[in-house]
Amino acid sequence: MHWKLVIDANDPHAQADFWAAALGYEVEDNSALIERLLQLGALPVAGTVDFHGRPAFRDLVAVRHPDDPYEEQSGTGLGRRVLFQRVPESKAGKNRLHLDLHPAEGRRASEVERLRGLGASVLREVKEAGGEWVVMADPEGNEFCVH
């Protein structure tokens, strides 16, 4: 079985770049599939963009774990994936689902700073009897925690 988490985004490609760097994942390269679909007339040119020097779908892009298998013909991951899909509306309200990142012991502060350098922001620091963590937001405001 493989899975993907789908996240709505205003700019899916920027979100993919952020989360690939944040998680140590790879942005999927679907260019071979896209070129085939363009040649067959099954995908209009307007449905694509140039992303890192190769054709990509305009409205969606995924990141995958680098150790997981993927389909060579399409570039689509067959394991742990996060897919960003373009939506017209901006995020409103609290996430109903979020990622928890767990850096190595003693590395929370440096990981928070690394993520800030990628474009994330700190929303609050939590210290409770059950533990400590930092609540952050990605460049589009989606919340996640660093434990």
Side-chain angles (χ1 to χ4, degrees):
M1 175 193 330
H2 59 92
W3 60 269
K4 68 178 173 274
L5 172 67
V6 180
I7 299 176
D8 292 347
N10 294 125
D11 185 344
H13 301 89
Q15 286 292 89
D17 278 342
F18 171 82
W19 282 104
L23 298 173
Y25 276 34
E26 296 177 356
V27 176
E28 289 183 352
D29 178 359
N30 303 121
S31 60
L33 171 63
I34 291 166
E35 289 170 358
R36 277 196 315 274
L37 293 172
L38 287 168
Q39 290 172 355
L40 293 171
L43 177 67
V45 174
T48 68
V49 295
D50 181 77
F51 182 53
H52 298 303
R54 60 185 188 244
F57 291 108
R58 178 187 173 277
D59 294 326
L60 57 90
V61 61
V63 299
R64 65 175 177 79
H65 192 281
D67 295 336
D68 288 352
Y70 64 95
E71 291 179 352
E72 291 188 26
Q73 303 88 344
S74 69
T76 301
L78 300 172
R80 296 161 282 184
R81 301 173 68 218
V82 182
L83 178 99
F84 301 92
Q85 68 180 4
R86 186 182 310 277
V87 296
E89 64 277 354
S90 296
K91 178 187 176 291
K94 185 176 181 331
N95 295 3
R96 298 291 296 195
L97 176 74
H98 69 266
L99 297 177
D100 280 353
L101 307 183
H102 296 269
E105 184 72 29
R107 303 265 318 156
R108 181 184 322 123
S110 62
E111 183 65 6
V112 165
E113 287 310 307
R114 185 183 78 83
L115 294 165
R116 287 178 72 173
L118 294 172
S121 57
V122 172
L123 299 179
R124 68 186 173 281
E125 294 185 16
V126 178
K127 294 181 182 183
E128 296 180 354
E132 297 181 15
W133 62 91
V134 178
V135 179
M136 300 188 76
D138 73 13
E140 288 197 7
N142 299 302
E143 296 136 21
F144 64 98
C145 297
V146 181
H147 288 263

